[in-house]
Amino acid sequence: MRPEQIDQVARLRQALDSARQVGRTIGVVPTMGALHEGHLSLVRQAKAQCGLAVATVFVNPTQFGPKEDYAQYPRTLERDMELLATARADYVFTPSVQEMYPPFDQTRVRVGGLAEGLCGASRPGHFEGVATVVSKFFNAIGPGTYFFGKKDYQQWRVIERMASDLLFPVRVVGCPIVREPDGLAMSSRNSYLSPEERAVAPRLAAALLSAQARYQAGERDLAGLIDGTRRDIEGDIPGGPSLSIEYIEVKVGTTLQAPALDVHGKLAPSDSDLVLLVAARLGATRLIDNIEL
Ligand code: AMP
């Protein structure tokens, strides 16, 4: 059955309040549309865990920088609705920009240190836009479990922090990354890649897997792990498109702080919460990926 499409906050609140009154619990999946299997896995999980699944489809202008792809971002609502029907979503919230940002809007939500490194460093204002729009969703949709992909690892951690700091009555859950058969993490932006670029893109995931294997085999030299990952991503084949690395970093998962090192630059033998995160440009497209070591 096709989910009900709602584009106004007042109507959404009415529908969800009625559902809560008859005891239903709500699972929410915020998206920017151009949906793929990664998004749908979150919706299925919301449906399975909560019974009533709400997806949002909103390309949020405040999380794009002035030179980023807000105007070109793929918008495929008709197809998104069909895919959301197959994942058994109940409601799809598709607000206009005016609905989310009322006239004279001037309030923003800014998270501290967690939002500053990694993607926060190369995309100034990005996480402020994300935190602002997600807090609006928390208020418009209300109590429930909100599902985020670990594909956007830093985003998940920033939102988890914000929900806790601002006492939102929500639960935030991080879900596994869904990949193409060749390992490339699914992303709406993969549609920007030319066939030649698409052929090179899986190197990112392959490099992460190989670093994870080295870590699990006992490699604890941080610089060695990062250099190996860099070599695997850059490759040594001359000609053709190449990945240009923006960052490769190992962080403590929950805090995104630098891990403790001993005097030889070695990671602790049994750190159980490390994540290796990368961002790279492939032509005009920016790709991110990560792996829990
Ligand atoms: P987006 O539409 O890109 O804003 O993504 C909406 C949600 O889907 C975010 O929580 C993303 O982390 C998640 N997501 C995107 N791609 C994937 C993927 N390949 N695997 C798992 N979750 C994903």
Side-chain angles (χ1 to χ4, degrees), residues 255-284:
T255 60
L256 294 184
Q257 293 196 344
L261 298 178
D262 71 12
V263 289
H264 307 291
K266 296 248 173 27
L267 295 159
S270 59
D271 247 340
S272 59
D273 181 28
L274 296 181
V275 52
L276 172 60
L277 306 110
V278 303
R281 289 198 174 271
L282 186 48

Side-chain angles (χ1 to χ4, degrees), residues 30-32 36 38-39 42 148-149 151-152 155 176-178 186:
T31 83
M32 298 205 298
H36 51 65
H39 299 111
L42 302 183
F148 292 89
K151 160 78 184 0
D152 300 278
Q155 168 175 283
I177 302 177
V178 178
M186 288 190 183

Side-chain angles (χ1 to χ4, degrees), residues 29-39 41-42 63 73 147-153 155 175-179 185-189:
V29 181
T31 83
M32 298 205 298
L35 300 183
H36 51 65
E37 192 50 38
H39 299 111
S41 72
L42 302 183
Q63 72 186 70
Y73 198 84
F147 296 81
F148 292 89
K150 291 186 184 177
K151 160 78 184 0
D152 300 278
Y153 194 93
Q155 168 175 283
C175 304
I177 302 177
V178 178
R179 299 178 176 283
M186 288 190 183
S187 164
S188 307
R189 291 191 168 98

